[in-house]
Amino acid sequence: MKPHSRVALTFLTHGFAIAAGWAIYRAEVATPSTAMPESAAARTTKKADRTRTDDASGEAILAKVLKEVKQEMPRSYHPGADTKPFQVSQEIQDRIDNIEIPADFQAALETILASAKTPWSKEDRATMIALSYHWIARDPQAFFRWASSGNDPQRLQFSGWVFNVDTEIYRRSGAAGLLTLLGKADRLTGQVRADLARLLGFSGDVNGLVSAADGMPLEQLQYFLTGAARNWPDSKQAELVQIAMERDQPAMLIAYHSNRPNSGSSLLKLLEDPSLSESFRTKLTENPQLRDLLRNDPAVPLETRMRFGGNPFQMAHNDVSLLLDKERDWAFAFRKGEATAEGILAMVTAGTPGLAEREPAALRMHLFRELAEESPAKAMELLNDLPEDERGEEVLFVSRTHFDGVEPDKFLELLQQVPANTPQQWESRLDTWNRRSFTNNERLQDGYVEWVQALPPGLDRDMAHYSLARAVNESNPSLAASLRGEVVDPKLQQRIAKHR
Amino acid sequence: MKPVLKIATHLAAVGLGVFLAAKVLPQRASVADDAASGGKSRTTAASHSAPDGKAGRASRATSSQSRSAAFRAAWAALAKEPLTMAERFTAQKKLLAEWAKIDLHGALQAYLGEAWDNRNPARPMANEPLGDAFAEIFKEQPMQSWEAIRHDGILRNRLGWIWMNRVAQTEPGLVVAMMAEFPERVQAEAVAEVFSRIKSITPEKRAELLAKLTTSGTPEQVEKWLSQAYRETRETGDPAELSAKWQAMPAGGARLLQMTAWASSLRGADLANFSAEWDKIPADDRGQAARMLLTQVDNQSPALLEVIERGIEAEQWETFGKNDIAGKLRGFQTDRQQLAEWALTLPPREEVRSVYNLAISEKLLADPAAGREWLEQRPAGDWHRERGFIEMALGSLWVKGDIGAANRAIDAITDTRAKEEAIKCRYDWQLITSQKGVTRVE
């Protein structure tokens, strides 16, 4: 081959090679799944997908939410458990120290109020609090006169705002700083007094509380002292008992305990405290609120609860309600099939052993009433020991007296636990329809009408139409007439013919 | 050229071909990437610019389906967590609020699957403790979210007022324009929210919204809404000027608006001023004028009884039936004996029955023996006598919880139908107050 021919051939074959490369690319991207191995781009996408799935899986979503709930609602929290003094943020403290003092406080505050968006930004909030702090320091009467005037909704947020200002005044000047404001706070006097009580309580400030109580008008004293006691630190309980006795204020100790877990048991322990004077102990014992707290605490021995006026039926109702939210929301778990009725009954029995031994039927009945609203058919196992007639009557009674606001489907599910062909319960069945159609129509309006109209044929459909017609008869007579027209049960038709 | 070199240069040429193709065909490559990834989650610029847009929609839908499935899984798994009621409500609200952002329908169905009553100890007074979870999405996407709830009667009634409340804060005009779509109770809430509760609405904006209200429903609906708006915020203009103004206007929404304002301006008028204004009303307008006045007066209105009389004179029976006119007598400052005597002049019609009841109830309950004697002076079967005893039975039950007194009142009724009605009232009281036994009308 001649040299020029060889060059031409080389160009030609390399041209073919380039074309082949082009063709390979096209073939690769056109049929990636069949003709070629997985492309790099596809592999990258899959990897990204896997990462995304990990971040946004059901488990991850739930874990994030549960973490937030735990942070926002720590179970160990109760007033007094945390003895750190209550303080505003460092940012607000700094703003108070560094803010430029305006010539006209009112104008400065109103400028922010007019432009700030609710909820306020941290920036606006800190400035509002700092300006208020300095205005109060210079002319408290002018500040409170302005703050008390009008009813601009922005100012409704005042409680948190003023509380922050009061908190900082207390941190810097003690109880005396707030006590001097009491005569000058206009319509916010009550707020400042309540803030002082809370701050003294949070801080466990014995001297501050005593000096403030000394100057407090008699008609405000109990409210003030109980306000402080409610938030008092656990570590200073002995001092609080002392102040309560000196001031003859048993309500302080009741307020302190009522704001904490196991209040009945703690108060029972307090009554046995040998340091109490006999007259003070008698006053405590006779206090109606203390008696109420004692008899409503399942951890207090049954005889003691009864001695303090406990009634077995009411205690059963009380204990079931309390225990159903002990550690977890048991009714919710039951609704979702995560707990059985008998399992929950065992938990309730263990939670109130004295009452369970004395009133097992009452406890079982109250539990049925609570659980029936969640999963009616499954709750029926709690009534297994009752004769059929009694069981039917109990179901119909509960469907009438409970089930306010409960889904109509759940109500129907409960009713269906009672055979429709029992003549002796026909009237009770109609009673419950008459009650529930009234409440369901009140809440769900045309949504309930649609629900009734979609019911399958049978006695419950007829009773639903009849009872709904009763409920809407005055407000919507034409709807009532059309509902009555749907009733096919002869007995109900007779009743319609007779009465309307 | 040596064979090895030949192979190498040809391979390089193939590579160059691939490179050139990749350079020249980038868009194609991007589309293919989508295909390769199964269209699962890619929403590249290329897929958005696909001619029919299907690729983009499909991939977005699939992505949101998969995220919604993740929320559904989280929702189901929540039941296994040992949370207290308050914790559970908080967790559910957080989940629903996030879920609603990517799949509102899925979140709404989950919401419907939870208990409908309020068991949240942290918010014992809330109507819909979980409903607040949708507040943000309702505000951010008002039209899409309304579309998601409006077709379901249950959702419309349970969440409609939350939607209205959220949207009203930023778009009161939209709420007013959509009034007719709301359930009746939400309509009333909307009027209260827009025309009374939101303080930032200026007088000019209010006038604009009122004008819009006149075109948002049927004439009957508009009249009802305007009446409420002016009841919420009273007109302070001069009645004579307002009267002249509406009388000079042609029929329609604008005239109705002015007429309502006029009726509202007469709320506090004394008898002389009220009569002077009433005398100026042309005979043809008296029905409507009486209707507007009936809805505007309250228990502080000196001319309350006269307005009721004008309503009866103009035969505005439906207004008595559909509005709580009787309720205006509660707290009305007048002698209760005289009020009871006035009630005997009311016509024997069901529409004014509640006015009659309210006017006599205090007299009957204050001294039941004297009340009974007063009623018995009327002949047996007389409308005022029989209805009076039914009212006595009702008051005994609902105010005093005294079933014995109610039974004595029922025994005094001579008319069979009236007696049956009283027994039905007693039956309803027994049902509503959860009495163990009930007495029925067979």
Side-chain angles (χ1 to χ4, degrees):
Chain A
M1 203 177 282
K2 290 181 179 171
H4 69 271
S5 303
R6 225 171 19 242
V7 170
L9 185 64
T10 302
F11 268 111
L12 188 66
T13 55
H14 281 81
F16 281 137
I18 291 169
W22 185 289
I24 287 168
Y25 180 83
R26 292 194 61 164
E28 178 183 336
V29 297
T31 54
S33 57
T34 53
M36 297 295 291
E38 196 169 60
S39 70
R43 282 197 302 276
T44 309
T45 307
K46 281 201 171 174
K47 193 175 172 189
D49 268 354
R50 197 161 50 243
T51 312
R52 193 161 28 244
T53 305
D54 289 341
D55 287 347
S57 66
E59 295 93 326
I61 291 169
L62 184 58
K64 178 173 170 279
V65 162
L66 292 178
K67 190 176 167 195
E68 287 171 10
V69 170
K70 217 170 189 175
Q71 281 168 353
E72 288 167 24
M73 314 170 80
R75 279 199 194 178
S76 57
Y77 175 78
H78 67 263
D82 183 355
T83 52
K84 277 188 292 184
F86 193 88
Q87 288 189 359
V88 297
S89 68
Q90 189 61 46
E91 186 186 351
I92 296 174
Q93 292 180 25
D94 293 346
R95 185 64 52 88
I96 291 173
D97 287 338
N98 302 323
I99 197 164
E100 194 179 322
I101 305 299
D104 185 341
F105 280 103
Q106 181 173 337
L109 282 164
E110 284 179 353
T111 304
I112 301 176
L113 271 177
S115 62
K117 283 193 175 143
T118 50
W120 290 348
S121 65
K122 277 188 177 175
E123 172 75 17
D124 285 337
R125 194 175 165 73
T127 306
M128 295 293 298
I129 292 168
L131 287 172
S132 307
Y133 177 88
H134 288 292
W135 194 0
I136 290 173
R138 283 157 181 78
D139 189 351
Q141 276 158 322
F143 169 80
F144 284 111
R145 194 167 47 244
W146 171 76
S148 300
S149 63
N151 61 355
D152 184 332
Q154 297 265 25
R155 289 183 192 168
L156 292 180
Q157 303 204 15
F158 238 98
S159 63
W161 172 9
V162 172
F163 179 65
N164 277 285
V165 178
D166 287 346
T167 302
E168 194 53 10
I169 294 173
Y170 176 75
R171 189 178 72 86
R172 296 186 186 215
S173 317
L178 288 170
L179 280 168
T180 57
L181 297 181
L182 284 180
K184 303 164 186 165
D186 206 312
R187 280 161 59 190
L188 292 175
T189 303
Q191 153 111 41
V192 175
R193 190 186 298 115
D195 288 352
L196 174 59
R198 281 172 76 191
L199 291 161
L200 289 167
F202 278 126
S203 311
D205 183 346
V206 175
N207 293 335
L209 184 62
V210 169
S211 66
D214 283 342
M216 199 61 61
L218 204 58
E219 66 274 14
Q220 304 293 346
L221 188 61
Q222 182 170 326
Y223 180 77
F224 178 76
L225 290 173
T226 53
R230 207 164 278 126
N231 303 301
W232 196 260
D234 293 347
S235 56
K236 291 188 175 178
Q237 194 186 336
E239 287 93 327
L240 190 73
V241 172
Q242 204 53 42
I243 298 172
M245 279 214 289
E246 282 166 13
R247 303 269 158 182
D248 198 22
Q249 291 284 346
M252 280 177 81
L253 300 181
I254 295 165
Y256 168 83
H257 285 289
S258 67
N259 218 17
R260 286 160 172 78
N262 308 113
S263 53
S265 312
S266 313
L267 282 165
L268 185 60
K269 209 168 147 196
L270 174 71
L271 287 178
E272 290 157 3
D273 182 344
S275 72
L276 295 187
S277 71
E278 276 316 305
S279 64
F280 191 71
R281 194 190 323 275
T282 305
K283 279 187 182 168
L284 270 174
T285 311
E286 288 172 354
N287 185 293
Q289 198 192 348
L290 177 138
R291 299 175 72 80
D292 211 34
L293 289 165
L294 266 176
R295 60 181 173 240
N296 285 332
D297 184 349
V300 173
L302 183 65
E303 306 72 48
T304 311
R305 298 173 74 185
M306 294 185 70
R307 192 153 45 81
F308 278 87
N311 158 311
F313 189 79
Q314 283 168 353
M315 285 192 290
H317 175 66
N318 170 78
D319 290 7
V320 166
S321 301
L322 282 179
L323 292 165
L324 274 179
D325 198 26
K326 192 180 176 190
E327 303 298 330
R328 76 178 295 180
D329 183 351
W330 287 100
F332 176 65
F334 179 68
R335 179 187 189 92
K336 299 289 179 181
E338 296 294 332
T340 64
E342 286 297 338
I344 296 174
L345 180 63
M347 179 277 294
V348 168
T349 302
T352 180
L355 196 62
E357 200 176 315
R358 187 192 152 112
E359 301 286 344
L363 224 48
R364 187 178 274 271
M365 200 63 77
H366 280 291
L367 186 59
F368 171 74
R369 290 174 185 189
E370 296 298 328
L371 296 186
E373 293 183 344
E374 304 294 342
S375 191
K378 286 184 187 159
M380 289 301 291
E381 67 175 291
L382 290 168
L383 302 186
N384 280 346
D385 292 344
L386 288 182
E388 195 175 339
D389 267 8
E390 271 182 54
R391 189 161 64 234
E393 280 304 331
E394 172 64 17
V395 165
L396 292 172
F397 180 69
V398 169
S399 66
R400 170 155 72 84
T401 56
H402 289 58
F403 282 75
D404 269 343
V406 172
E407 306 95 295
D409 281 340
K410 297 279 178 192
F411 167 70
L412 185 63
E413 185 184 326
L414 181 64
L415 274 196
Q416 286 171 345
Q417 308 309 310
V418 182
N421 58 358
T422 48
Q424 65 274 32
Q425 282 161 347
W426 192 93
E427 290 287 359
S428 300
R429 197 179 195 98
L430 186 60
D431 290 344
T432 193
W433 273 113
N434 281 336
R435 173 78 182 114
R436 286 293 139 236
S437 277
F438 176 77
T439 53
N440 284 331
N441 177 63
E442 278 283 294
R443 183 181 184 195
L444 304 171
Q445 302 276 297
D446 53 335
Y448 182 64
V449 176
E450 287 167 17
W451 182 85
V452 165
Q453 288 171 333
L455 285 172
L459 182 60
D460 284 319
R461 177 190 163 85
D462 282 350
M463 287 189 169
H465 279 75
Y466 174 88
S467 56
L468 180 56
R470 267 182 113 242
V472 301
N473 195 49
E474 283 186 21
S475 60
N476 194 341
S478 61
L479 172 63
S482 109
L483 289 164
R484 280 191 213 103
E486 292 286 312
V487 174
V488 293
D489 180 79
K491 202 168 166 184
L492 284 171
Q493 280 185 334
Q494 272 176 15
R495 202 163 284 206
I496 290 168
K498 188 175 171 195
H499 296 300
R500 210 177 314 267
Chain B
M1 199 181 277
K2 288 181 181 171
V4 175
L5 191 61
K6 270 187 194 173
I7 290 167
T9 56
H10 279 86
L11 279 175
V14 170
L16 179 65
V18 170
F19 173 76
L20 287 173
K23 274 288 192 195
V24 173
L25 302 170
Q27 196 173 357
R28 181 85 191 263
S30 198
V31 173
D33 280 353
D34 262 7
S37 69
K40 267 187 188 162
S41 57
R42 293 293 296 269
T43 49
T44 60
S47 65
H48 279 300
S49 62
D52 60 0
K54 277 181 187 166
R57 276 204 295 274
S59 58
R60 277 196 301 278
T62 319
S63 165
S64 105
Q65 274 167 13
S66 116
R67 293 216 63 205
S68 187
F71 272 97
R72 199 168 297 114
W75 189 258
L78 183 73
K80 297 184 191 301
E81 296 295 329
L83 303 175
T84 63
M85 276 187 221
E87 290 166 345
R88 189 259 295 178
F89 267 102
T90 307
Q92 282 188 319
K93 268 177 77 169
K94 285 173 182 284
L95 278 176
L96 279 181
E98 288 301 311
W99 192 353
K101 286 181 195 164
I102 54 146
D103 176 16
L104 179 56
H105 181 75
L108 288 169
Q109 291 310 307
Y111 164 74
L112 283 176
E114 294 309 308
W116 292 10
D117 57 338
N118 179 9
R119 297 180 154 227
N120 184 0
R123 297 191 59 205
M125 301 309 285
N127 280 334
E128 295 286 350
L130 278 179
D132 282 352
F134 300 102
E136 206 55 36
I137 196 81
F138 286 171
K139 191 172 143 192
E140 282 170 11
Q141 299 179 10
M143 294 319 292
Q144 293 95 320
S145 55
W146 178 249
E147 197 56 29
I149 62 172
R150 67 185 282 254
H151 299 291
D152 184 310
I154 300 287
L155 284 173
R156 202 166 55 236
N157 281 285
R158 288 184 63 195
L159 295 178
W161 64 273
I162 297 178
W163 184 94
M164 179 283 295
N165 185 282
R166 286 294 120 185
V167 178
Q169 310 310 315
T170 49
E171 298 185 62
L174 179 61
V175 165
V176 168
M178 289 175 64
M179 283 290 283
E181 292 199 31
F182 302 148
E184 262 187 53
R185 251 189 326 212
V186 179
Q187 292 174 6
E189 280 292 304
V191 172
E193 192 66 29
V194 172
F195 296 103
S196 171
R197 295 185 201 136
I198 303 179
K199 301 292 179 201
S200 56
I201 291 178
T202 60
E204 297 74 30
K205 182 74 181 168
R206 179 183 162 82
E208 183 194 312
L209 291 169
L210 280 169
K212 192 175 223 175
L213 195 63
T214 64
T215 61
S216 296
T218 64
E220 292 75 24
Q221 285 176 318
V222 170
E223 188 174 312
K224 190 175 172 183
W225 300 334
L226 287 176
S227 294
Q228 191 196 337
Y230 275 97
R231 224 170 26 244
E232 302 272 356
T233 308
R234 183 174 161 179
E235 170 63 47
T236 52
D238 175 43
E241 279 177 27
L242 290 162
S243 174
K245 203 170 169 185
W246 68 256
Q247 286 189 47
M249 293 171 92
R255 186 178 200 258
L256 184 62
L257 180 62
Q258 287 304 320
M259 205 168 176
T260 320
W262 162 79
S264 174
S265 74
L266 281 172
R267 190 184 299 170
D270 60 23
L271 282 181
N273 282 331
F274 169 73
S275 298
E277 281 304 316
W278 179 256
D279 289 344
K280 290 186 215 162
I281 308 301
D284 284 354
D285 288 319
R286 288 201 164 185
Q288 191 171 20
R291 207 158 66 230
M292 310 310 290
L293 285 163
L294 274 170
T295 58
Q296 291 307 312
V297 284
D298 61 19
N299 66 359
Q300 304 296 313
S301 302
L304 174 59
L305 300 185
E306 285 66 25
V307 169
I308 291 175
E309 286 169 3
R310 297 295 84 78
I312 291 170
E313 204 173 86
E315 300 188 335
Q316 295 303 309
W317 307 120
E318 213 173 313
T319 304
F320 282 100
K322 288 192 170 172
N323 295 274
D324 184 21
I325 306 299
K328 298 168 193 279
L329 291 171
R330 289 195 184 93
F332 177 58
Q333 292 300 309
T334 187
D335 178 80
R336 292 283 137 178
Q337 297 292 337
Q338 283 179 12
L339 185 65
E341 293 300 333
W342 171 82
L344 294 177
T345 67
L346 292 168
R349 291 187 63 110
E350 283 306 298
E351 296 91 339
V352 293
R353 168 98 173 266
S354 52
V355 174
Y356 174 69
N357 287 346
L358 252 296
I360 63 169
S361 64
E362 279 188 43
K363 175 186 169 69
L364 298 183
L365 290 176
D367 185 349
R372 189 185 180 96
E373 204 176 303
W374 179 68
L375 287 173
E376 281 177 339
Q377 287 171 7
R378 310 203 48 101
D382 170 73
W383 188 90
H384 293 85
R385 180 192 188 280
E386 305 296 311
R387 270 72 191 167
F389 276 116
I390 298 177
E391 174 59 17
M392 198 174 205
L394 274 168
S396 304
L397 292 169
W398 286 103
V399 180
K400 298 189 166 179
D402 183 349
I403 197 159
N407 289 341
R408 286 192 294 280
I410 292 170
D411 288 343
I413 300 171
T414 55
D415 178 74
T416 315
R417 296 298 287 223
K419 188 171 265 190
E420 277 182 7
E421 187 190 328
I423 295 169
K424 275 197 273 186
C425 292
R426 183 178 60 191
Y427 167 74
D428 282 335
W429 173 80
Q430 288 170 323
L431 287 185
I432 292 167
T433 56
S434 297
Q435 304 292 312
K436 190 83 189 173
V438 293
T439 317
R440 310 174 179 102
V441 192
E442 296 294 336

